[in-house]
Amino acid sequence: MAKYSIAWMPGDGIGKDVMDAARIVLDAMKLDAEYIPCDIGWEFWCTEGNALPERTIDVLKKSTCALFGAITSKPQDDAKKELAPGLKDKNLVYFSPIVKLRQLFNLHTNIRPCKSYPGNPLNYRGTRLANPSGDEVMIDQVVFRENTEGMYGGIEFYPLPESVYTALCANPKMKPWKDKGLENVALSTRIVSKQGCTSICRQAFEYARRTGRKRVTLVEKPNVLRETGGLMTRIFREMAKDYEKPSGGGIWADEANIDAICMWMFKNPQDYSVLVAENMFGDIVSDLCAGLVGGLGFAPSANLGDNYAVFEPTHGSAPKYAGQYKVNPIAMLLTAKMMLNWLGEKPGGAAEKDKAARLEAAIARVIKEGKVRTYDMGGKNTTLEVAQEIARYAAA
Ligand code: NAI
Ligand code: MG
């Protein structure tokens, strides 16, 4: 029996292309794993009315962890139109299978590292005033995004149930919407908990301390989102006291508003190290960070729970490139590296830690040599050629 059982979820579009690339590398590294293919994504919504079939959930429950490519999501009305004829009148509601997975397996923490590798032609060169020489600006950031609550917690209404509307209307501030009438109002909520805020802040600080990083920045908007943003900010500040001491790592804890950091990150990205944020703000800021290290082709992520994890690149299914083996596999391969690191934390997993380090070194080497590159880096090679080159250097 293999040491690890990995649920294998290519999903939609380029998800399949980049997962094929991952397999080339994992096989070359001789990871002792069995890979169990799982159904997930748009095809299963259209044919079964469920983008995340129960049989997939069952496989995940029995597996060590999951590797996931990407899915296609569409707004509710478009989703309904694409259902198979026999399913159209069944009142089915589309939900994003990856959001569902995060909630179902309580994958409360989303980690998104964004790091520049020397020699990447897409490396950020800053604004001219900040960086007159135009040299590469080397960035090494890790975003800790709360993954199950906040704006993406899934508590939304349209139309609003009468009871919710009535309860809200007890607040005089509701007057403008009350005047517009129940049938004209939609509601998406931002619900956070002390537990959720504490957990994500704790993990960001602990990670900084473990890895010797000296700055943790909270990305919020407490001046406007007074209750949810306020709760997160109070918890962050209180926790920061422990970590600011030399015994806690001597970490500088600071705060930025989501809008302001989009500007500061563009001007001085090299100054940031660990960022911590609520679900939607973490989603937004991590795409910005990805842009600064070469784009979505370089942005991996891990969804972590207490005992289970789903690893996926930050990018989506990029339908226009689906099946062309054109896109950059590096985001997916950095994602596989995160998976190896996670496996390496388990008892008896030391060999996987070494594999993770070898894989990252191989990726860095291929980027630097610049001989084999996908279109986004100005090259003409395919997804699988890049994977093969990385596999050659990473091989056992
Ligand atoms: P996307 O990430 O799929 O692609 C946007 C653009 O980024 C692409 O057209 C391409 O130019 C570039 N890109 C993405 N991945 C790349 C790679 N590996 N190498 C080189 N270039 C790459 O985002 P988009 O177009 O907004 O969404 C397409 C679909 O994906 C939608 O249905 C969306 O809902 C879904 N999506 C799924 C996610 C997931 O599975 N977690 C995350 C984001 C979007
Ligand atoms: Mg996103």
Side-chain angles (χ1 to χ4, degrees), residues 17-143:
D17 306 30
V18 296
M19 288 286 277
D20 285 353
R23 193 55 183 275
I24 289 174
V25 171
L26 292 172
D27 285 350
M29 299 191 82
K30 300 197 165 43
L31 181 68
D32 185 4
E34 60 166 338
Y35 303 98
I36 307 158
C38 296
D39 297 338
I40 187 168
W42 197 249
E43 179 188 339
F44 302 96
W45 161 255
C46 296
T47 56
E48 300 177 24
N50 186 357
L52 179 63
E54 280 300 319
R55 58 185 179 278
T56 297
I57 296 169
D58 290 342
V59 172
L60 263 67
K61 281 183 180 157
K62 292 187 206 122
S63 64
T64 318
C65 63
L67 199 60
F68 170 61
I71 42 107
T72 295
S73 274
K74 296 186 189 178
Q76 208 55 255
D77 290 349
D78 300 346
K80 287 199 168 150
K81 279 186 208 132
E82 292 191 36
L83 276 173
L87 296 172
K88 279 204 164 74
D89 53 358
K90 293 219 153 89
N91 261 337
L92 295 165
V93 177
Y94 177 80
F95 56 82
S96 157
I98 185 66
V99 174
K100 182 79 187 264
L101 272 183
R102 289 168 182 160
Q103 288 177 340
L104 211 57
F105 288 84
N106 192 20
L107 305 173
H108 43 70
T109 302
N110 190 231
I111 303 184
R112 299 185 157 190
C114 287
K115 184 170 166 184
S116 342
Y117 292 92
N120 184 348
L122 300 169
N123 275 344
Y124 189 60
R125 286 169 197 274
T127 59
R128 259 200 231 144
L129 278 177
N131 184 24
S133 61
D135 292 337
E136 295 175 311
V137 177
M138 300 314 279
I139 294 160
D140 185 3
Q141 298 165 344
V142 184
V143 179

Side-chain angles (χ1 to χ4, degrees), residues 112 145 152 283-284 286-287 314:
R112 299 185 157 190
R145 162 185 170 192
Y152 297 170
D283 189 19
I284 293 170
S286 59
D287 267 26
T314 297

Side-chain angles (χ1 to χ4, degrees), residues 248-265:
I251 294 163
W252 173 30
D254 70 325
E255 297 159 22
N257 283 346
I258 176 68
D259 48 346
I261 203 166
C262 291
M263 189 271 294
W264 288 117
M265 193 69 87

Side-chain angles (χ1 to χ4, degrees), residues 14 70-73 296-297 312 314-321 327-328 375-376:
I14 61 162
I71 42 107
T72 295
S73 274
L296 290 171
E312 53 159 339
T314 297
H315 64 71
S317 62
K320 69 178 176 201
Y321 296 121
V327 295
N328 197 335
Y375 82 95
D376 55 325

